[in-house]
Amino acid sequence: MLRTGLGVLVVSLAVTTGFGVVLGQDAKPKVRALPFPQGDPELVARLGGQGKVTRLNDAEAVRALLGPSAGRIIKAVDFGREAVALVSWTTSGPPEGILRYEVKENGAEAKVVFFVSAPAARIRGQRARIAADFFAVPAGAKVLFEPGERPAPMP
């Protein structure tokens, strides 16, 4: 720590890993939500509700899946350090479940696990909701989808 007349300046050392993240205090591989492609109103119906994750490792794979709607996602991802994960999921409600993820690390290996978290409700509606969301994930990480919903603790 360096003390100055204006306050306290903390100097830290950061180490870059193969996952494209900076290791420091509480650092984990970064997962970022990506903007949903515009221009194709049928995209969610075509891609959503399948209960799986699809990994897209390069711009060509994104273009093959999305066609002319791929531009926003391609611009938002550094394919040298990241890949795109398409998470196709479903829930019901109201209240609806929420898509979440967790990063699990075991040494140099990282896993990103996507899952649907059920709401803390005893009674839920039966309206189905299909969804598809795009995320940038570390290029070296394994990406998984956990089927079903994780139960929420009841109040």
Side-chain angles (χ1 to χ4, degrees):
M1 214 166 19
L2 177 66
R3 295 188 185 273
T4 68
L6 299 174
V8 177
L9 173 65
V10 177
V11 179
S12 64
L13 175 65
V15 179
T16 303
T17 68
F19 292 116
V21 298
V22 177
L23 292 180
Q25 186 175 357
D26 299 326
K28 289 197 179 246
K30 292 188 179 184
V31 176
R32 299 182 293 115
L34 295 172
F36 198 81
Q38 302 295 312
D40 185 353
E42 298 176 2
L43 195 60
V44 173
R46 187 166 42 97
L47 299 177
Q50 298 176 22
K52 67 178 186 174
V53 65
T54 302
R55 183 187 185 90
L56 306 166
N57 291 317
D58 53 40
E60 290 75 32
V62 175
R63 264 192 219 94
L65 180 70
L66 300 176
S69 301
R72 290 177 69 192
I73 288 182
I74 291 171
K75 288 178 186 173
V77 177
D78 176 1
F79 286 102
R81 299 169 51 175
E82 299 173 307
V84 173
L86 162 60
V87 183
S88 177
W89 59 287
T90 188
T91 187
S92 65
E96 298 174 339
I98 299 169
L99 180 65
R100 300 186 188 278
Y101 66 87
E102 62 188 10
V103 178
K104 297 180 179 182
E105 294 180 282
N106 185 9
E109 183 177 302
K111 283 196 284 191
V112 180
V113 180
F114 290 94
F115 61 94
V116 178
S117 177
R122 297 189 191 282
I123 300 173
R124 291 176 66 184
Q126 297 300 309
R127 180 192 67 219
R129 175 179 176 227
I130 63 169
D133 291 291
F134 292 88
F135 294 87
V137 297
K142 184 182 260 189
V143 183
L144 306 167
F145 182 78
E146 189 177 285
E149 289 186 345
R150 284 190 187 177
M154 288 297 166

